[in-house]
């Protein structure tokens, strides 16, 4: 039996990043969902398992719901099973109520009790549980022993987090509950980073995994995002692969300016690292660090202009440090010379290591401010 396991799509989310507008984020989320459906068609899967936070219940609008329904109504040969999490609980007033009833091959699990779905043609029984409310303080993992005559392949679906102390508020799951489940595979949601890049962990005879989010929304969700493509046989043998899926990816990257003699070399190195990526799919936060001589200094704005067209959005953070010729500066007959001489005398006179570090930091910040002021004067002279 072949399946895709995904979770935490957060369709309709109005999350904002520092660089992308909410409309762009919502568009990327929806495009990523459609790519998941397309992957299912190409791979000829049997089941698509969506393990919670499929939508943002309090943020999605009717247009977003209609687009989801239309995507699900496009011809496919696989069943879609959705369990609900803390962002889309299926209670009495759920947004899921009635809206998707007409979609064939879609099973949205109501909240509050384990539901059983049998697929005899696949030799597979699904035991699925949805949140009925935004919080779930108790620990819930479907237990095979609670059901009779299950089919050979037994898969559980639930939204939650591993918590052996059981103190969390989003289905805190002790590993012992997974070990006792009798499931072949427990498909989880809620954790936004996959734990199965190199295959799923196992407790007892049960494999379990989070796929992570398939599409990031801000820099806290940076890096490669995707889904799990799996195949499981009646003998419980499981094969599971992580498949990158995001329509737009956030990267928080760092470059050491000491490795490049010229700004042009740095620009080329950045281009080279992301050469094989679609520029419209990369949102980059770039941190520049390292020591440089005053002659090597360049305006961050000019670097931004050189790079901006190559990425969907770009943020530059300047953490570079200038190497100052302090002995030469302290002899200058100007404001900078007076400033440097006063701070060096304070540093040389201090026996307090912490105070010395503060003086050194003040010296560096002050010189950077003076240097910036001199560049501004030059620009307007």
């Amino acid at each position: 039996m072949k399946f895709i396991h995904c979770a935490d799509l957060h369709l309709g989310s109005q999350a904002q990043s520092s660089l992308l507008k909410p409309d762009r984020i919502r568009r990327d989320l929806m495009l990523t969902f459609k790519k998941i459906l397309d992957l299912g068609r190409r791979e000829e899967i049997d089941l698509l398992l969506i393990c919670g936070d499929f939508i943002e219940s309090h943020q999605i609008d009717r247009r977003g719901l209609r687009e989801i329904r239309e995507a699900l109504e496009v011809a496919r040969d696989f069943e879609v099973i959705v369990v609900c999490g803390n962002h889309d609980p299926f209670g009495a007033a759920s947004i899921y109520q009635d809206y998707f009833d007409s979609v064939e091959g879609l099973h949205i699990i109501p909240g509050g009790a384990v539901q059983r779905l049998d697929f005899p043609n696949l030799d597979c029984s699904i035991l699925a549980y949805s949140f009925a409310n935004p919080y779930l303080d108790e620990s819930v993992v479907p237990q095979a022993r609670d059901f009779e005559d299950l089919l050979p392949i037994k898969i559980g679906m639930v939204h939650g987090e591993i918590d052996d102390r059981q103190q969390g508020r989003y289905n805190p799951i002790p590993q012992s509950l997974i070990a006792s489940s009798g499931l072949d595979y427990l498909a989880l949601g809620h954790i936004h980073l996959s734990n199965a890049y190199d295959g799923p962990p196992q407790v007892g005879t049960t494999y379990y995994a989070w796929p992570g989010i398939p599409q990031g929304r801000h820099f806290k969700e940076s890096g490669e995002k995707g889904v799990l493509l799996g195949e499981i046989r009646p003998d419980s043998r499981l094969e599971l692969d992580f498949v990158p899926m995001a329509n737009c990816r956030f990267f928080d990257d760092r470059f050491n300016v000491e490795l490049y003699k010229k700004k042009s070399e740095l620009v080329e190195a950045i281009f080279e690292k992301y050469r094989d990526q679609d520029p419209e799919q990369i949102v980059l936060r770039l941190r520049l660090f390292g020591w440089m001589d005053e002659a090597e200094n360049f305006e961050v704005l000019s670097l931004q202009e050189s790079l901006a067209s190559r990425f969907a959005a770009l943020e530059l953070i300047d953490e570079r440090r200038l190497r100052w010729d302090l002995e030469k500066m302290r002899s200058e007959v100007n404001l900078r010379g007076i400033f440097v001489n006063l701070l060096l005398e304070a540093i040389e006179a201090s026996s307090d290591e912490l105070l010395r570090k503060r003086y050194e930091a003040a010296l560096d910040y002050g010189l950077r401010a003076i240097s910036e002021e001199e560049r501004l004067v030059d620009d307007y002279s």
Side-chain angles (χ1 to χ4, degrees):
M1 190 275 290
K2 200 170 184 180
F3 64 92
I4 288 175
H5 171 198
C6 66
D8 299 279
L9 284 101
H10 294 277
L11 297 179
S13 171
Q14 296 179 18
Q16 298 186 35
S17 79
S18 58
L19 298 178
L20 293 183
K21 295 180 179 179
D23 285 349
R24 167 65 194 263
I25 295 172
R26 285 195 295 271
R27 189 197 78 179
D28 286 327
L29 292 169
M30 185 60 67
L31 287 174
T32 297
F33 175 53
K34 291 177 180 178
K35 287 171 66 175
I36 293 170
L37 294 172
D38 287 341
L39 176 66
R41 295 183 185 96
R42 289 197 309 274
E43 293 289 338
E44 299 181 346
I45 66 169
D46 301 298
L47 298 175
L48 171 58
L49 313 177
I50 303 177
C51 293
D53 291 356
F54 179 38
I55 64 173
E56 284 284 350
S57 294
H58 298 294
Q59 296 181 4
I60 196 166
D61 55 22
R62 284 286 168 179
R63 179 182 175 184
L65 288 170
R66 184 170 62 251
E67 193 170 1
I68 295 170
R69 186 169 63 188
E70 290 172 353
L72 288 166
E73 287 173 340
V74 176
R76 53 182 163 79
D77 293 327
F78 54 88
E79 304 282 313
V80 179
I81 307 170
V82 179
V83 297
C84 305
N86 53 299
H87 285 257
D88 60 347
F90 196 155
S94 171
I95 200 167
Y96 289 121
Q97 201 75 261
D98 303 325
Y99 192 82
F100 294 97
D101 288 354
S102 62
V103 180
E104 292 186 11
L106 174 64
H107 312 269
I108 302 179
I109 307 301
V114 176
Q115 304 288 316
R116 172 179 177 172
L117 296 173
D118 286 335
F119 298 94
N121 60 317
L122 304 176
D123 284 330
C124 179
S125 291
I126 300 287
L127 303 178
Y129 183 91
S130 282
F131 280 43
N133 300 291
Y135 298 104
L136 180 61
D137 296 326
E138 63 179 307
S139 302
V140 178
V141 171
Q143 302 289 301
R145 64 174 177 270
D146 295 337
F147 298 85
E148 296 181 355
D149 302 321
L150 291 174
L151 296 170
I153 298 172
K154 297 174 281 293
I155 294 180
M157 295 177 63
V158 72
H159 199 72
E161 56 192 342
I162 295 293
D163 183 354
D164 287 323
R165 295 181 300 171
Q166 297 177 263
Q167 295 180 349
R169 303 211 63 192
Y170 304 105
N171 189 16
I173 300 170
Q175 294 186 70
S176 59
L177 202 56
I178 300 176
S180 68
S181 68
L183 299 168
D184 297 307
Y185 180 62
L186 177 61
L188 293 163
H190 187 61
I191 302 301
H192 285 195
L193 184 67
S194 178
N195 68 334
Y197 292 112
D198 300 316
Q202 187 177 21
V203 179
T205 60
T206 301
Y207 292 98
Y208 68 95
W210 288 274
I213 55 172
Q215 171 62 62
R217 294 168 293 169
H218 40 68
F219 282 109
K220 290 182 180 180
E221 298 173 344
S222 62
E224 202 70 82
K225 305 300 178 185
V227 301
L228 298 175
L229 177 63
E231 187 169 3
I232 189 167
R233 306 182 188 283
D235 62 3
S236 301
R237 187 161 62 88
L238 174 68
E239 296 178 3
L240 202 64
D241 294 307
F242 179 83
V243 181
M245 194 55 56
N247 189 67
C248 181
R249 284 163 289 177
F250 289 78
F251 289 95
D252 197 332
D253 208 347
R254 303 176 80 239
F255 274 78
N256 185 350
V257 296
E258 295 177 32
L259 302 178
Y260 311 98
K261 295 180 180 179
K262 302 176 183 178
K263 186 188 78 171
S264 59
E265 293 179 4
L266 174 61
V267 169
E268 182 56 34
I270 296 166
F271 283 167
E272 182 61 33
K273 181 167 184 177
Y274 295 95
R275 191 176 300 282
D276 296 333
Q277 311 278 0
D278 182 345
E280 274 301 303
Q281 294 184 351
I282 299 295
V283 180
L284 180 62
R285 173 181 284 162
L286 185 61
R287 301 174 189 270
L288 304 177
F289 72 99
W291 291 92
M292 61 184 176
D293 295 326
E294 210 168 354
E296 298 171 337
N297 195 9
F298 57 82
E299 290 284 353
V300 169
L301 181 60
S302 69
L303 181 62
Q304 178 104 19
E305 291 170 349
S306 300
L307 296 172
S309 63
R310 297 295 296 268
F311 302 99
L314 174 69
E315 178 184 11
L316 288 178
I317 299 176
D318 190 3
E319 297 175 347
R320 298 171 298 166
R321 302 286 298 275
L322 280 169
R323 294 189 188 93
W324 309 107
D325 188 344
L326 297 177
E327 290 304 319
K328 179 180 177 182
M329 286 182 178
R330 79 187 303 178
S331 63
E332 293 175 357
V333 185
N334 54 26
L335 178 61
R336 185 168 72 174
I338 295 170
F339 172 74
V340 170
N341 197 52
L342 285 173
L343 266 294
L344 286 179
E345 287 178 354
I347 292 169
E348 292 161 357
S350 177
S351 59
D352 185 323
E353 184 63 25
L354 180 60
L355 190 58
R356 283 173 59 90
K357 288 185 179 298
R358 288 177 176 172
Y359 284 143
E360 289 168 356
L363 178 58
D364 184 59
Y365 291 142
L367 285 173
R368 289 172 70 136
I370 293 170
S371 179
E372 179 65 24
E373 183 68 24
E374 288 173 348
R375 281 202 298 274
L376 288 174
V377 170
D378 289 341
D379 287 343
Y380 285 95
S381 60

